[in-house]
Amino acid sequence: MTRKIAIVTDSSSAIDFMPHDYDNIYVIRMPITFGNDQYIDGLTISVDDFYERLKNEDIIPTTSMPSLGETMELYEQLRNDGYTDIIHYPISKGISGTYQALHSIKDAVEGITVHLMDTKATAIILGYIVLQAARLVREGKSLEEVIEYSNYLSNNYRAYFMVDDLTYLIKNGRLSNAAGFIGSFLKIKPILTFNDQGEIIGTQKIRTTKKATNYLIEAFIEDTKQYKKIQPFFSYAGDKELKEKFMQEAIERTGRNDFIDAILPAVIGAHIGYSAAAIGYFILEK
């Protein structure tokens, strides 16, 4: 039987901000609550409007998992469109209950098989994995090959990011080792990363933005010396001045011009805050 494969992800993936021409990528939108206002990420609030509110209002937004009902409707639509398989790439289970919730419906739609991925990622990292999966499908690779390479990417990336403070992450319960940072988090520029389970953890407490960005770039340079081929990336929140300074310095000091970049989607900005920036890489060849 010839397989027709659809790629499904959610709006945390930054896929909205990563140009492509694949017609088999489908996005489930995540809800955002901003005070008394309810939004659907990317539909009823744009990323620019979101960050403008985040900058000017003393409100910490919250997010919710994608609707399981809408997800099932998409599965049914894809089956009716002739797809035999769905590879679903949700936000990391280390920072959201989405992955676990999807298990309850993955086998609920007859006539199509859903393959649920433990991505251990979000934002541009997840977006890149999704784009690579779509590329492999277009190239005619087998379902098993697509899944195998996706799992490889999920386990072979590194990302470092800085936030202005930990208020958003701690209030929303998204920092796995928060206890080690509480007490001084308002006076530092925390350095964060993802652990092997896709959880966000704090690694360093640095006093100034300049020292924090320097740390990120130095860590990137030192880490990547051992690899023959990588795909580097940037990501950033609403603070465009921080983004421009950080990206320019990183490009100059690394001597690389192959960074891909994308803004942090609103559903991630809700947990990171307005002033945040990240640098990282995928290991493509050891």
mmCIF file of all heavy atoms in Angstrom, residues 170-206:
data_model
loop_
_atom_site.group_PDB
_atom_site.id
_atom_site.type_symbol
_atom_site.label_atom_id
_atom_site.label_comp_id
_atom_site.label_asym_id
_atom_site.label_seq_id
_atom_site.Cartn_x
_atom_site.Cartn_y
_atom_site.Cartn_z
ATOM 1 N N ILE A 170 8.491 30.842 36.357
ATOM 2 C CA ILE A 170 8.160 30.351 37.691
ATOM 3 C C ILE A 170 6.656 30.421 37.949
ATOM 4 O O ILE A 170 6.047 29.476 38.450
ATOM 5 C CB ILE A 170 8.956 31.117 38.758
ATOM 6 C CG1 ILE A 170 10.443 30.731 38.664
ATOM 7 C CG2 ILE A 170 8.414 30.835 40.157
ATOM 8 C CD1 ILE A 170 11.354 31.508 39.590
ATOM 9 N N LYS A 171 6.025 31.551 37.583
ATOM 10 C CA LYS A 171 4.582 31.699 37.794
ATOM 11 C C LYS A 171 3.790 30.643 37.030
ATOM 12 O O LYS A 171 2.765 30.146 37.491
ATOM 13 C CB LYS A 171 4.125 33.095 37.364
ATOM 14 C CG LYS A 171 4.627 34.227 38.244
ATOM 15 C CD LYS A 171 3.931 34.261 39.589
ATOM 16 C CE LYS A 171 4.332 35.503 40.376
ATOM 17 N NZ LYS A 171 3.681 35.542 41.702
ATOM 18 N N ASN A 172 4.275 30.278 35.831
ATOM 19 C CA ASN A 172 3.569 29.296 35.017
ATOM 20 C C ASN A 172 4.048 27.871 35.247
ATOM 21 O O ASN A 172 3.598 26.943 34.581
ATOM 22 C CB ASN A 172 3.704 29.648 33.531
ATOM 23 C CG ASN A 172 2.779 30.782 33.125
ATOM 24 O OD1 ASN A 172 1.604 30.782 33.461
ATOM 25 N ND2 ASN A 172 3.311 31.759 32.406
ATOM 26 N N GLY A 173 5.000 27.700 36.160
ATOM 27 C CA GLY A 173 5.452 26.361 36.517
ATOM 28 C C GLY A 173 6.224 25.648 35.435
ATOM 29 O O GLY A 173 6.201 24.412 35.364
ATOM 30 N N ARG A 174 6.942 26.393 34.587
ATOM 31 C CA ARG A 174 7.642 25.767 33.464
ATOM 32 C C ARG A 174 9.142 25.599 33.690
ATOM 33 O O ARG A 174 9.849 25.156 32.803
ATOM 34 C CB ARG A 174 7.428 26.585 32.179
ATOM 35 C CG ARG A 174 5.993 26.632 31.648
ATOM 36 C CD ARG A 174 5.388 25.241 31.523
ATOM 37 N NE ARG A 174 4.225 25.180 30.647
ATOM 38 C CZ ARG A 174 2.979 25.415 31.014
ATOM 39 N NH1 ARG A 174 2.722 25.772 32.256
ATOM 40 N NH2 ARG A 174 1.979 25.318 30.153
ATOM 41 N N LEU A 175 9.646 25.975 34.861
ATOM 42 C CA LEU A 175 11.073 25.815 35.142
ATOM 43 C C LEU A 175 11.255 24.636 36.095
ATOM 44 O O LEU A 175 10.837 24.681 37.242
ATOM 45 C CB LEU A 175 11.649 27.090 35.771
ATOM 46 C CG LEU A 175 13.165 27.096 36.002
ATOM 47 C CD1 LEU A 175 13.907 27.065 34.666
ATOM 48 C CD2 LEU A 175 13.577 28.326 36.799
ATOM 49 N N SER A 176 11.884 23.572 35.594
ATOM 50 C CA SER A 176 11.934 22.324 36.351
ATOM 51 C C SER A 176 12.762 22.420 37.624
ATOM 52 O O SER A 176 12.465 21.757 38.615
ATOM 53 C CB SER A 176 12.471 21.199 35.459
ATOM 54 O OG SER A 176 11.545 20.896 34.438
ATOM 55 N N ASN A 177 13.830 23.218 37.622
ATOM 56 C CA ASN A 177 14.651 23.352 38.836
ATOM 57 C C ASN A 177 14.525 24.752 39.428
ATOM 58 O O ASN A 177 15.502 25.370 39.823
ATOM 59 C CB ASN A 177 16.117 23.001 38.546
ATOM 60 C CG ASN A 177 16.766 23.943 37.526
ATOM 61 O OD1 ASN A 177 16.073 24.628 36.767
ATOM 62 N ND2 ASN A 177 18.092 23.970 37.505
ATOM 63 N N ALA A 178 13.292 25.223 39.517
ATOM 64 C CA ALA A 178 13.036 26.595 39.963
ATOM 65 C C ALA A 178 13.566 26.857 41.365
ATOM 66 O O ALA A 178 14.006 27.963 41.670
ATOM 67 C CB ALA A 178 11.535 26.888 39.917
ATOM 68 N N ALA A 179 13.568 25.833 42.233
ATOM 69 C CA ALA A 179 13.970 26.043 43.625
ATOM 70 C C ALA A 179 15.380 26.596 43.737
ATOM 71 O O ALA A 179 15.684 27.381 44.635
ATOM 72 C CB ALA A 179 13.863 24.730 44.402
ATOM 73 N N GLY A 180 16.250 26.223 42.818
ATOM 74 C CA GLY A 180 17.623 26.686 42.856
ATOM 75 C C GLY A 180 17.796 28.134 42.436
ATOM 76 O O GLY A 180 18.870 28.709 42.595
ATOM 77 N N PHE A 181 16.737 28.736 41.895
ATOM 78 C CA PHE A 181 16.828 30.104 41.386
ATOM 79 C C PHE A 181 15.948 31.077 42.154
ATOM 80 O O PHE A 181 16.191 32.265 42.163
ATOM 81 C CB PHE A 181 16.447 30.136 39.897
ATOM 82 C CG PHE A 181 17.545 29.642 39.005
ATOM 83 C CD1 PHE A 181 17.805 28.294 38.884
ATOM 84 C CD2 PHE A 181 18.327 30.528 38.288
ATOM 85 C CE1 PHE A 181 18.820 27.824 38.078
ATOM 86 C CE2 PHE A 181 19.347 30.083 37.462
ATOM 87 C CZ PHE A 181 19.600 28.723 37.362
ATOM 88 N N ILE A 182 14.924 30.583 42.805
ATOM 89 C CA ILE A 182 14.027 31.471 43.555
ATOM 90 C C ILE A 182 14.816 32.174 44.662
ATOM 91 O O ILE A 182 15.643 31.583 45.342
ATOM 92 C CB ILE A 182 12.852 30.679 44.148
ATOM 93 C CG1 ILE A 182 11.935 30.189 43.021
ATOM 94 C CG2 ILE A 182 12.053 31.515 45.133
ATOM 95 C CD1 ILE A 182 10.804 29.309 43.489
ATOM 96 N N GLY A 183 14.526 33.451 44.851
ATOM 97 C CA GLY A 183 15.202 34.231 45.874
ATOM 98 C C GLY A 183 16.085 35.295 45.266
ATOM 99 O O GLY A 183 16.220 36.377 45.806
ATOM 100 N N SER A 184 16.673 34.967 44.104
ATOM 101 C CA SER A 184 17.537 35.953 43.450
ATOM 102 C C SER A 184 17.130 36.192 42.011
ATOM 103 O O SER A 184 17.799 36.898 41.293
ATOM 104 C CB SER A 184 18.994 35.470 43.485
ATOM 105 O OG SER A 184 19.135 34.243 42.812
ATOM 106 N N PHE A 185 16.001 35.613 41.596
ATOM 107 C CA PHE A 185 15.677 35.630 40.176
ATOM 108 C C PHE A 185 15.361 37.014 39.640
ATOM 109 O O PHE A 185 15.432 37.252 38.440
ATOM 110 C CB PHE A 185 14.553 34.638 39.835
ATOM 111 C CG PHE A 185 13.180 35.030 40.307
ATOM 112 C CD1 PHE A 185 12.349 35.794 39.507
ATOM 113 C CD2 PHE A 185 12.717 34.587 41.519
ATOM 114 C CE1 PHE A 185 11.080 36.133 39.927
ATOM 115 C CE2 PHE A 185 11.440 34.928 41.951
ATOM 116 C CZ PHE A 185 10.632 35.709 41.146
ATOM 117 N N LEU A 186 15.025 37.952 40.488
ATOM 118 C CA LEU A 186 14.738 39.294 40.000
ATOM 119 C C LEU A 186 16.005 40.119 39.766
ATOM 120 O O LEU A 186 15.953 41.172 39.152
ATOM 121 C CB LEU A 186 13.827 40.030 40.986
ATOM 122 C CG LEU A 186 12.389 39.501 41.088
ATOM 123 C CD1 LEU A 186 11.636 40.254 42.175
ATOM 124 C CD2 LEU A 186 11.662 39.622 39.762
ATOM 125 N N LYS A 187 17.136 39.622 40.229
ATOM 126 C CA LYS A 187 18.374 40.387 40.156
ATOM 127 C C LYS A 187 19.386 39.784 39.189
ATOM 128 O O LYS A 187 20.527 40.237 39.130
ATOM 129 C CB LYS A 187 19.001 40.473 41.552
ATOM 130 C CG LYS A 187 18.105 41.128 42.586
ATOM 131 C CD LYS A 187 18.768 41.111 43.955
ATOM 132 C CE LYS A 187 17.839 41.710 45.010
ATOM 133 N NZ LYS A 187 18.456 41.658 46.360
ATOM 134 N N ILE A 188 18.991 38.772 38.448
ATOM 135 C CA ILE A 188 19.929 38.087 37.568
ATOM 136 C C ILE A 188 19.370 37.973 36.152
ATOM 137 O O ILE A 188 18.188 38.232 35.913
ATOM 138 C CB ILE A 188 20.251 36.672 38.093
ATOM 139 C CG1 ILE A 188 18.963 35.822 38.151
ATOM 140 C CG2 ILE A 188 20.931 36.735 39.446
ATOM 141 C CD1 ILE A 188 19.188 34.373 38.487
ATOM 142 N N LYS A 189 20.253 37.628 35.221
ATOM 143 C CA LYS A 189 19.860 37.286 33.869
ATOM 144 C C LYS A 189 20.092 35.783 33.720
ATOM 145 O O LYS A 189 21.201 35.333 33.452
ATOM 146 C CB LYS A 189 20.691 38.059 32.836
ATOM 147 C CG LYS A 189 20.637 39.575 33.021
ATOM 148 C CD LYS A 189 19.234 40.114 32.923
ATOM 149 C CE LYS A 189 19.213 41.615 33.192
ATOM 150 N NZ LYS A 189 17.841 42.139 33.287
ATOM 151 N N PRO A 190 19.072 34.985 33.950
ATOM 152 C CA PRO A 190 19.259 33.533 33.993
ATOM 153 C C PRO A 190 19.612 32.952 32.617
ATOM 154 O O PRO A 190 19.104 33.392 31.588
ATOM 155 C CB PRO A 190 17.897 33.011 34.454
ATOM 156 C CG PRO A 190 17.175 34.200 34.984
ATOM 157 C CD PRO A 190 17.689 35.370 34.223
ATOM 158 N N ILE A 191 20.476 31.949 32.626
ATOM 159 C CA ILE A 191 20.784 31.162 31.443
ATOM 160 C C ILE A 191 20.051 29.836 31.581
ATOM 161 O O ILE A 191 20.159 29.142 32.594
ATOM 162 C CB ILE A 191 22.300 30.915 31.304
ATOM 163 C CG1 ILE A 191 23.059 32.247 31.275
ATOM 164 C CG2 ILE A 191 22.577 30.083 30.058
ATOM 165 C CD1 ILE A 191 22.721 33.145 30.113
ATOM 166 N N LEU A 192 19.314 29.491 30.548
ATOM 167 C CA LEU A 192 18.473 28.295 30.579
ATOM 168 C C LEU A 192 18.817 27.376 29.413
ATOM 169 O O LEU A 192 19.430 27.779 28.426
ATOM 170 C CB LEU A 192 16.995 28.697 30.500
ATOM 171 C CG LEU A 192 16.516 29.783 31.468
ATOM 172 C CD1 LEU A 192 15.149 30.282 31.068
ATOM 173 C CD2 LEU A 192 16.492 29.247 32.888
ATOM 174 N N THR A 193 18.397 26.116 29.531
ATOM 175 C CA THR A 193 18.555 25.175 28.434
ATOM 176 C C THR A 193 17.475 24.109 28.559
ATOM 177 O O THR A 193 16.663 24.140 29.492
ATOM 178 C CB THR A 193 19.966 24.537 28.441
ATOM 179 O OG1 THR A 193 20.171 23.815 27.229
ATOM 180 C CG2 THR A 193 20.150 23.602 29.623
ATOM 181 N N PHE A 194 17.448 23.178 27.616
ATOM 182 C CA PHE A 194 16.581 22.014 27.713
ATOM 183 C C PHE A 194 17.419 20.825 28.161
ATOM 184 O O PHE A 194 18.528 20.618 27.655
ATOM 185 C CB PHE A 194 15.952 21.679 26.349
ATOM 186 C CG PHE A 194 14.890 22.635 25.911
ATOM 187 C CD1 PHE A 194 15.192 23.678 25.050
ATOM 188 C CD2 PHE A 194 13.577 22.482 26.338
ATOM 189 C CE1 PHE A 194 14.216 24.565 24.630
ATOM 190 C CE2 PHE A 194 12.592 23.363 25.923
ATOM 191 C CZ PHE A 194 12.905 24.405 25.070
ATOM 192 N N ASN A 195 16.895 20.024 29.089
ATOM 193 C CA ASN A 195 17.595 18.797 29.447
ATOM 194 C C ASN A 195 17.180 17.662 28.496
ATOM 195 O O ASN A 195 16.460 17.885 27.519
ATOM 196 C CB ASN A 195 17.353 18.422 30.916
ATOM 197 C CG ASN A 195 15.885 18.107 31.213
ATOM 198 O OD1 ASN A 195 15.065 17.887 30.305
ATOM 199 N ND2 ASN A 195 15.540 18.077 32.497
ATOM 200 N N ASP A 196 17.631 16.461 28.777
ATOM 201 C CA ASP A 196 17.395 15.334 27.866
ATOM 202 C C ASP A 196 15.924 14.933 27.791
ATOM 203 O O ASP A 196 15.526 14.214 26.873
ATOM 204 C CB ASP A 196 18.227 14.119 28.295
ATOM 205 C CG ASP A 196 19.718 14.333 28.081
ATOM 206 O OD1 ASP A 196 20.079 15.233 27.294
ATOM 207 O OD2 ASP A 196 20.518 13.607 28.711
ATOM 208 N N GLN A 197 15.125 15.385 28.742
ATOM 209 C CA GLN A 197 13.682 15.086 28.715
ATOM 210 C C GLN A 197 12.875 16.219 28.090
ATOM 211 O O GLN A 197 11.646 16.157 28.059
ATOM 212 C CB GLN A 197 13.182 14.830 30.143
ATOM 213 C CG GLN A 197 13.659 13.515 30.755
ATOM 214 C CD GLN A 197 15.121 13.545 31.141
ATOM 215 O OE1 GLN A 197 15.564 14.473 31.814
ATOM 216 N NE2 GLN A 197 15.875 12.540 30.720
ATOM 217 N N GLY A 198 13.555 17.259 27.607
ATOM 218 C CA GLY A 198 12.847 18.383 27.018
ATOM 219 C C GLY A 198 12.247 19.319 28.040
ATOM 220 O O GLY A 198 11.322 20.085 27.737
ATOM 221 N N GLU A 199 12.775 19.297 29.269
ATOM 222 C CA GLU A 199 12.352 20.223 30.315
ATOM 223 C C GLU A 199 13.267 21.442 30.298
ATOM 224 O O GLU A 199 14.448 21.338 29.957
ATOM 225 C CB GLU A 199 12.424 19.556 31.686
ATOM 226 C CG GLU A 199 11.536 18.340 31.837
ATOM 227 C CD GLU A 199 11.819 17.577 33.110
ATOM 228 O OE1 GLU A 199 12.990 17.507 33.537
ATOM 229 O OE2 GLU A 199 10.860 17.033 33.690
ATOM 230 N N ILE A 200 12.726 22.593 30.692
ATOM 231 C CA ILE A 200 13.538 23.801 30.800
ATOM 232 C C ILE A 200 14.200 23.829 32.171
ATOM 233 O O ILE A 200 13.525 23.703 33.199
ATOM 234 C CB ILE A 200 12.679 25.065 30.612
ATOM 235 C CG1 ILE A 200 12.075 25.086 29.203
ATOM 236 C CG2 ILE A 200 13.514 26.327 30.838
ATOM 237 C CD1 ILE A 200 11.093 26.217 28.979
ATOM 238 N N ILE A 201 15.519 23.986 32.175
ATOM 239 C CA ILE A 201 16.249 24.054 33.434
ATOM 240 C C ILE A 201 17.173 25.269 33.428
ATOM 241 O O ILE A 201 17.664 25.688 32.383
ATOM 242 C CB ILE A 201 17.072 22.777 33.696
ATOM 243 C CG1 ILE A 201 18.073 22.530 32.560
ATOM 244 C CG2 ILE A 201 16.161 21.578 33.893
ATOM 245 C CD1 ILE A 201 19.072 21.424 32.856
ATOM 246 N N GLY A 202 17.400 25.843 34.593
ATOM 247 C CA GLY A 202 18.352 26.921 34.727
ATOM 248 C C GLY A 202 19.747 26.365 34.905
ATOM 249 O O GLY A 202 19.945 25.344 35.580
ATOM 250 N N THR A 203 20.747 27.022 34.302
ATOM 251 C CA THR A 203 22.125 26.538 34.409
ATOM 252 C C THR A 203 23.071 27.560 35.010
ATOM 253 O O THR A 203 24.053 27.189 35.640
ATOM 254 C CB THR A 203 22.674 26.117 33.032
ATOM 255 O OG1 THR A 203 22.711 27.259 32.164
ATOM 256 C CG2 THR A 203 21.806 25.032 32.411
ATOM 257 N N GLN A 204 22.809 28.853 34.791
ATOM 258 C CA GLN A 204 23.716 29.891 35.264
ATOM 259 C C GLN A 204 22.922 31.101 35.743
ATOM 260 O O GLN A 204 21.821 31.358 35.254
ATOM 261 C CB GLN A 204 24.666 30.344 34.146
ATOM 262 C CG GLN A 204 25.566 29.258 33.585
ATOM 263 C CD GLN A 204 26.667 28.850 34.539
ATOM 264 O OE1 GLN A 204 27.121 29.666 35.344
ATOM 265 N NE2 GLN A 204 27.095 27.600 34.464
ATOM 266 N N LYS A 205 23.512 31.845 36.672
ATOM 267 C CA LYS A 205 22.953 33.114 37.137
ATOM 268 C C LYS A 205 23.960 34.205 36.803
ATOM 269 O O LYS A 205 25.037 34.249 37.401
ATOM 270 C CB LYS A 205 22.695 33.070 38.642
ATOM 271 C CG LYS A 205 21.802 31.926 39.101
ATOM 272 C CD LYS A 205 21.746 31.883 40.624
ATOM 273 C CE LYS A 205 20.961 30.664 41.102
ATOM 274 N NZ LYS A 205 20.918 30.593 42.588
ATOM 275 N N ILE A 206 23.615 35.065 35.867
ATOM 276 C CA ILE A 206 24.530 36.087 35.392
ATOM 277 C C ILE A 206 23.908 37.461 35.635
ATOM 278 O O ILE A 206 22.695 37.637 35.504
ATOM 279 C CB ILE A 206 24.876 35.852 33.905
ATOM 280 C CG1 ILE A 206 25.611 34.509 33.775
ATOM 281 C CG2 ILE A 206 25.739 36.986 33.352
ATOM 282 C CD1 ILE A 206 25.987 34.128 32.376
#
